[in-house]
C-alpha cells in the first residue's frame, strides 16, 4: 500500500480542526509535514524531524485561517504526498 493511499484527513471539509492520520511502513530520516494555501505557500508546519515506522495521528489546528482550499503536504525522505483540505 502506498503512503498516498494510507493518508486520511478528517473531517474534510473542516471548520478549522482536522486530524491527519497515516501509517508509515519504514523509518524516515527526514520528515516534513506542513499546510499550504492554494498557491503553494507554506502557512503552518505540523512536523519536522525523523519519523520511525508506525501509525501516526496529528491534530491540525487551523483556526483563524480563511475559508478555502488548502493542501497538507508530506515530504518523507524526498517523496512528496499532498492531500486536499477544504476549510469552510
Amino acid at each position: 500500500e502506498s503512503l498516498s493511499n494510507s493518508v486520511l484527513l478528517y473531517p474534510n471539509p473542516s471548520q478549522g480542526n482536522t486530524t491527519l492520520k497515516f501509517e508509515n511502513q519504514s523509518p524516515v530520516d527526514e520528515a516534513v509535514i506542513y499546510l499550504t494555501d492554494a498557491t503553494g505557500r507554506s502557512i503552518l508546519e505540523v512536523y519536522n524531524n525523523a519519523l520511525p515506522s508506525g501509525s501516526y495521528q496529528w491534530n491540525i489546528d487551523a483556526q483563524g485561517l480563511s475559508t478555502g482550499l488548502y493542501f497538507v503536504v508530506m515530504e518523507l525522505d524526498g517523496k512528496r504526498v499532498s492531500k486536499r483540505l477544504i476549510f469552510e
Side-chain angles (χ1 to χ4, degrees), residues 27-49:
V28 174
D29 292 327
E30 293 182 41
V32 182
I33 302 170
Y34 54 97
L35 186 67
T36 72
D37 63 16
T39 68
R41 182 175 57 100
S42 179
I43 56 172
L44 177 68
E45 184 173 88
V46 177
Y47 186 84
N48 187 350
N49 207 336

